[in-house]
Amino acid sequence: MAEEKSQASSSKMLTLKASDGVLFEVELNIAKEMKTVQAYIDDCEDIETIPIPNVLGKHLAIVIEYIKKTNEEYDAEFEKQWNMDDLQLLLLAANYLNISGLQECLCKAIAKRIENKSPEYVRKVFNIENDHSPEEEAKLRKEYKWAFEGVDKD
Amino acid sequence: MKRKIFQSCDDALSYVKAVEVAFQYNNRKKYDEFLKILKDLNLRIGRRISIRCVKAKVKRLFKGNSDLILLFNNLFPTEYQITLPQRTGKKVKKVKEYCELPWDVLDIISKRLDFDDLFSFAGVCKNWRAFHKIYWRNFLTSQEPLLLTSYRATNGEKSYTLTRNSDQKVYCLKMKCYASYVTSSSGYFIMVGYNNSFLLINPFTRISKVINVSTFEVKPTGLFNRAMLAFGKCSEEFVLVVLCNIFASGGLNVYQSRNCGWVTYSTTENQGKVVNFVVFHNKIYVITNKANLGVINLNSANITFLKLKNTPNATIPSLFYWLLCCDDQLLLVDFRHEKTLPNVYKIDFSTMNYVKLETLGDIAIFYVKRRNCYALSNPNKWGYERNSLYVMSPSSSNIECSVHSWDDKELQKYITLPTSASPGRFPSMLGWCFRHLRYEVDYSLVE
């Protein structure tokens, strides 16, 4: 739980409620970076607690931290800390909350991690099931022959 | 976690928002259907819709989006709970069962991937493949010119890249081919191999074709080869038009896939030597060094010449005439004087006249000295200037491109071409590639 001291000029505080019930009090200008939250504020002006049903508390904490701190150096270091699972969930959170800066940063990180890797690796990393039939897959491999050569070892 | 239907306004709102975000890009219709279910549900007091019906509708609507179904279960009381199919042997995550990345996210990721990775991407699963198809289709319709550069490593190995000027994004093409680049046409790179053959490679679809030549000689080191690839309208048949060495006396050679053979087209002394060609209105037009314009007849070995008035410089032939097709106009550009702006003529078919243009309007011309020439309309969209000429020296390491304008003929600017030269890799600019251009010939227009 992050608690902010109210400024004398009283920047309005908002409470965000993560899917597992964890509450975060954030300043209005921080919350506004999340365009989804901004949309709520626009729709219902006197809303005080905004539920974020798609995002776990631990990820919401990371997102809020990112918004507060963001600059280029932070970005570069930021993405190195997380494992693939967290990166994905953070990306989904950033997408739902509509924070373009964070989304770009995370996509960049993910793109870097799947660069020059085989489809099998990508599937494992994203937990995606291969729903291609063996014939379809053979066809794909043939069509995209150049791509499957010279790929990094998984 | 049980709540009455819509007792908590916030939760309902956020759920609706979650649904909207999930379907915003993929499927607006689904979102509208969902709103309709809610509306029906709201009026449930009047027994408009049964619980079972709601469950069935929601389950069907959100098939594949189990996170939304889980949320639904969270919000609605027990009688509304939708059971999800059990996934044997898989760890169930707390909030989501498995993460399905929405297409707008895949789009951002794709924009950062190189060509090879994009093709791997498509092989992951059906959903990603479907996305890749659409992404690729959009990619190929873009009119932004890509700069093709070849790099020679110290060990002699050649590699190629396509670079975008707007954000300097570099695409590496892992093509290994021992061939010499002529031009890019209809999405294919046309190259001359070392055994009297042409190699056509499409880096976007990974399709390559080899066309052998037996009736004439084609040299890969020939600096003045000209070529063009056109497809038959609505078919995979194609026509390859080549001119080997414009200085030589060889004729115009055309290969048609439907005949699997080459045909040589010759011209008379009076008509002049063919120096350039282009597809316009589904026909192949040629221009001779005496500025005579003709149409290739694909069913014979004849060229039908047109009678036009005001033929430019009829007495002084030029080897550097270029035919360009842009904005539904056929243009002739005369590059004989390298130091000054070229003369540009529009061929007016209604009056059968060459009309000298004082301005190009909303067009930019890209010229690779003595090798290639392209026209682009609405160049401002891609950061290029209208009514301008961009000139680049071919196969050189000179990364500067000069810019000339018909608006201000005195002004000369330079832009630096994007390269990713690193130590040990020597760049050689080959030219621009326009991925959206696809020439098509209509066989039925031929007599």
Side-chain angles (χ1 to χ4, degrees):
Chain A
M1 272 217 301
E3 280 183 276
E4 300 289 322
K5 285 212 178 85
S6 289
Q7 308 284 309
S9 54
S10 86
S11 49
K12 185 169 174 220
M13 299 300 285
L14 226 55
T15 309
L16 300 178
K17 184 161 118 179
S19 62
D20 46 4
V22 183
L23 296 169
F24 295 88
E25 257 194 27
V26 290
E27 287 176 15
L28 189 59
N29 58 332
I30 306 265
K32 280 185 163 193
E33 289 293 315
M34 312 178 193
K35 301 216 181 64
T36 308
V37 172
Q38 171 76 70
Y40 283 123
I41 304 173
D42 290 342
D43 279 343
C44 336
E45 274 175 13
D46 47 356
I47 197 168
E48 293 217 344
T49 308
I50 298 175
I52 315 278
N54 294 15
V55 187
L56 285 170
K58 85 170 190 183
H59 294 122
L60 193 52
I62 299 171
V63 168
I64 293 172
E65 180 86 1
Y66 177 88
I67 299 176
K68 284 194 199 156
K69 280 210 186 144
T70 187
N71 60 47
E72 283 202 12
E73 287 166 12
Y74 185 72
D75 272 10
E77 284 309 306
F78 179 77
E79 51 104 345
K80 291 191 190 146
Q81 312 171 41
W82 316 113
N83 65 31
M84 208 55 205
D85 265 351
D86 278 331
L87 261 190
Q88 264 192 87
L89 290 173
L90 281 172
L91 180 52
L92 283 165
N95 181 251
Y96 171 70
L97 292 168
N98 206 344
I99 309 167
S100 49
L102 180 57
Q103 237 186 161
E104 289 281 338
C105 170
L106 292 169
C107 283
K108 196 161 108 182
I110 290 185
K112 243 198 282 182
R113 294 196 195 188
I114 65 177
E115 239 172 35
N116 217 23
K117 295 278 193 276
S118 68
E120 288 84 39
Y121 180 87
V122 177
R123 276 183 219 128
K124 214 169 34 158
V125 141
F126 284 103
N127 251 342
I128 298 177
E129 216 173 86
N130 181 8
D131 53 357
H132 286 131
S133 69
E135 297 84 30
E136 282 175 338
E137 222 185 315
K139 182 164 163 248
L140 275 174
R141 287 190 89 90
K142 207 174 111 195
E143 262 178 37
Y144 301 146
K145 216 170 28 164
W146 289 355
F148 291 118
E149 289 164 20
V151 152
D152 286 353
K153 287 270 167 251
D154 294 350
Chain B
M1 284 279 228
K2 295 180 201 160
R3 286 178 179 78
K4 292 245 174 71
I5 308 168
F6 299 149
Q7 180 162 61
S8 166
C9 175
D10 291 351
D11 287 335
L13 261 180
S14 63
Y15 185 58
V16 171
K17 194 75 198 176
V19 174
E20 183 185 19
V21 169
F23 289 134
Q24 206 164 351
Y25 296 98
N26 304 15
N27 205 333
R28 195 73 209 187
K29 225 174 76 160
K30 273 198 180 176
Y31 176 59
D32 292 338
E33 267 183 59
F34 171 68
L35 286 182
K36 188 164 177 302
I37 298 177
L38 284 187
K39 202 172 95 177
D40 290 344
L41 196 60
N42 237 342
L43 303 165
R44 211 199 135 225
I45 301 131
R47 297 263 165 212
R48 204 168 138 145
I49 184 169
S50 72
I51 297 175
R52 208 167 56 158
C53 203
V54 171
K55 276 168 69 175
K57 281 194 176 187
V58 172
K59 186 171 181 182
R60 193 181 59 231
L61 194 62
F62 292 157
K63 192 169 165 192
N65 268 317
S66 30
D67 51 334
L68 288 174
I69 297 187
L70 279 169
L71 280 176
F72 180 87
N73 284 346
N74 270 347
L75 281 176
F76 289 77
T78 27
E79 54 263 38
Y80 284 85
Q81 299 295 293
I82 296 175
T83 46
L84 287 162
Q86 285 301 319
R87 296 183 73 83
T88 49
K90 225 178 158 71
K91 244 193 352 187
V92 178
K93 290 200 175 116
K94 249 196 173 148
V95 178
K96 296 173 182 52
E97 209 168 30
Y98 55 90
C99 299
E100 236 179 51
L101 288 174
W103 280 18
D104 55 327
V105 164
L106 291 182
D107 193 70
I108 305 179
I109 297 179
S110 294
K111 288 200 165 86
R112 300 191 167 276
L113 293 177
D114 208 336
F115 273 10
D116 282 349
D117 295 319
L118 283 172
F119 283 103
S120 293
F121 192 96
V124 168
C125 66
K126 286 199 170 126
N127 184 34
W128 285 33
R129 178 131 181 250
F131 164 78
H132 172 94
K133 263 207 180 115
I134 297 182
Y135 179 84
W136 208 232
R137 206 178 337 145
N138 288 336
F139 182 84
L140 289 176
T141 54
S142 169
Q143 299 197 6
E144 182 173 20
L146 294 172
L147 184 69
L148 177 66
T149 314
S150 80
Y151 293 86
R152 185 186 301 280
T154 38
N155 60 4
E157 254 186 38
K158 257 205 232 171
S159 59
Y160 298 86
T161 63
L162 282 174
T163 315
R164 256 206 310 244
N165 200 36
S166 51
D167 59 355
Q168 318 272 308
K169 168 119 179 87
V170 178
Y171 294 106
C172 297
L173 306 174
K174 292 201 179 89
M175 301 182 331
K176 283 208 165 62
C177 49
Y178 300 99
S180 153
Y181 179 78
V182 178
T183 185
S184 85
S185 188
S186 291
Y188 280 76
F189 291 158
I190 302 179
M191 318 189 64
V192 177
Y194 283 83
N195 46 3
N196 222 45
S197 61
F198 284 96
L199 177 61
L200 307 175
I201 299 185
N202 188 327
F204 307 107
T205 59
R206 304 287 164 102
I207 298 176
S208 65
K209 307 180 206 280
V210 176
I211 302 175
N212 290 311
V213 183
S214 52
T215 49
F216 59 94
E217 205 192 348
V218 50
K219 291 205 192 94
T221 50
L223 296 175
F224 300 100
N225 296 324
R226 302 253 183 279
M228 179 178 75
L229 180 68
F231 284 87
K233 210 167 177 193
C234 312
S235 88
E236 283 307 304
E237 301 288 353
F238 62 89
V239 176
L240 180 67
V241 182
V242 306
L243 200 55
C244 295
N245 195 344
I246 55 169
F247 288 131
S249 53
L252 182 69
N253 291 294
V254 178
Y255 176 88
Q256 294 196 49
S257 65
R258 59 178 185 162
N259 307 332
C260 291
W262 289 94
V263 173
T264 305
Y265 290 74
S266 10
T267 51
T268 66
E269 180 78 37
N270 262 350
Q271 289 161 338
K273 223 161 53 88
V274 173
V275 293
N276 210 266
F277 32 76
V278 83
V279 171
F280 181 66
H281 287 177
N282 302 123
K283 287 189 271 195
I284 305 178
Y285 283 81
V286 299
I287 191 87
T288 68
N289 58 349
K290 296 188 180 171
N292 282 322
L293 185 72
V295 178
I296 288 184
N297 184 329
L298 289 170
N299 288 336
S300 69
N302 291 332
I303 302 177
T304 312
F305 280 94
L306 307 174
K307 284 202 174 57
L308 294 166
K309 294 169 282 205
N310 287 335
T311 310
N313 279 46
T315 47
I316 311 166
S318 166
L319 288 174
F320 302 108
Y321 279 127
W322 287 89
L323 280 177
L324 294 175
C325 159
C326 191
D327 278 352
D328 208 39
Q329 302 174 87
L330 183 60
L331 304 173
L332 176 70
V333 189
D334 184 359
F335 281 110
R336 69 178 81 203
H337 301 300
E338 281 198 359
K339 303 288 179 195
T340 59
L341 270 184
N343 285 330
V344 183
Y345 305 87
K346 176 180 157 166
I347 291 127
D348 186 338
F349 286 97
S350 54
T351 58
M352 294 305 269
N353 227 338
Y354 278 104
V355 176
K356 182 150 187 267
L357 295 180
E358 295 308 320
T359 171
L360 293 182
D362 198 20
I363 291 177
I365 295 183
F366 293 81
Y367 182 47
V368 182
K369 271 197 198 152
R370 297 182 299 277
R371 301 287 185 82
N372 281 308
C373 192
Y374 311 91
L376 177 69
S377 66
N378 194 6
N380 279 338
K381 187 167 179 196
W382 311 109
Y384 294 100
E385 287 173 36
R386 55 188 292 288
N387 205 17
S388 300
L389 171 69
Y390 289 83
V391 183
M392 164 166 94
S393 295
S395 293
S396 78
S397 50
N398 183 3
I399 57 172
E400 275 197 337
C401 166
S402 60
V403 188
H404 312 258
S405 168
W406 274 269
D407 288 329
D408 182 348
K409 298 193 178 172
E410 302 303 312
L411 185 65
Q412 191 177 52
K413 294 197 297 189
Y414 291 89
I415 58 168
T416 311
L417 297 170
T419 65
S420 56
S422 43
R425 289 213 312 170
F426 307 99
S428 173
M429 308 292 159
L430 293 179
W432 283 281
C433 170
F434 289 81
R435 55 199 133 138
H436 67 287
L437 280 182
R438 184 180 157 101
Y439 293 129
E440 283 191 342
V441 288
D442 191 340
Y443 292 116
S444 66
L445 289 178
V446 175
E447 292 101 63

